[in-house]
Amino acid sequence: MSTHIPDDPGPGDECLLLVHTRQVVGQVRYRICTDCARGVITAVVIDERFRSTGLGTRALSHLRSRHQGLAWRSTLHKRTTRDLLRRMRIPTTTSAAPCPHAQQTLSAAG
């Protein structure tokens, strides 16, 4: 289940909810710019009991298939997410904006 996050400060803020038997067990937050074909993952949260089940890999694979053709990066540096992103070959970045013109839009909104 994917949705735009209402009242979030930046344009393009999205959330992919991870659901197991009608219960939210995690989420992936991300921003995209379809003009530049770039996306950035800003958060991956998975309940402890689902961390070693491959749910994170399936979630990121779903995100890639849902937004085909985007070059993905991530702002995450924690060990648990760093290993997942390395396996998925998603490099890290320091900016939560997917591209330079989105960064300008985020700055103007703040």
Side-chain angles (χ1 to χ4, degrees), residues 39-74:
V40 63
I41 298 167
T42 58
V44 176
V45 179
I46 300 174
D47 286 357
E48 181 70 36
R49 61 190 167 136
F50 290 98
R51 286 197 183 145
S52 298
T53 63
L55 182 60
T57 301
R58 290 194 308 270
L60 294 183
S61 293
H62 174 76
L63 196 60
R64 281 181 165 166
S65 69
R66 182 180 174 99
H67 300 285
Q68 293 181 12
L70 294 185
W72 288 97
R73 297 198 177 279
S74 173

Side-chain angles (χ1 to χ4, degrees), residues 12-53:
D13 293 347
E14 302 285 335
C15 182
L16 174 67
L17 295 178
L18 311 178
V19 179
H20 177 71
T21 59
R22 292 184 281 174
Q23 200 173 30
V24 175
V25 296
Q27 61 180 282
V28 178
R29 288 182 179 243
Y30 61 97
R31 294 180 178 156
I32 60 172
C33 177
T34 54
D35 293 336
C36 292
R38 295 183 188 177
V40 63
I41 298 167
T42 58
V44 176
V45 179
I46 300 174
D47 286 357
E48 181 70 36
R49 61 190 167 136
F50 290 98
R51 286 197 183 145
S52 298
T53 63

Side-chain angles (χ1 to χ4, degrees), residues 2-3 11-13 22 25 35 37 39 52 75 88 90 93-94 103-104 108:
S2 184
T3 184
D13 293 347
R22 292 184 281 174
V25 296
D35 293 336
S52 298
T75 59
M88 297 296 294
I90 297 175
T93 184
T94 56
Q103 180 66 44
Q104 291 169 355

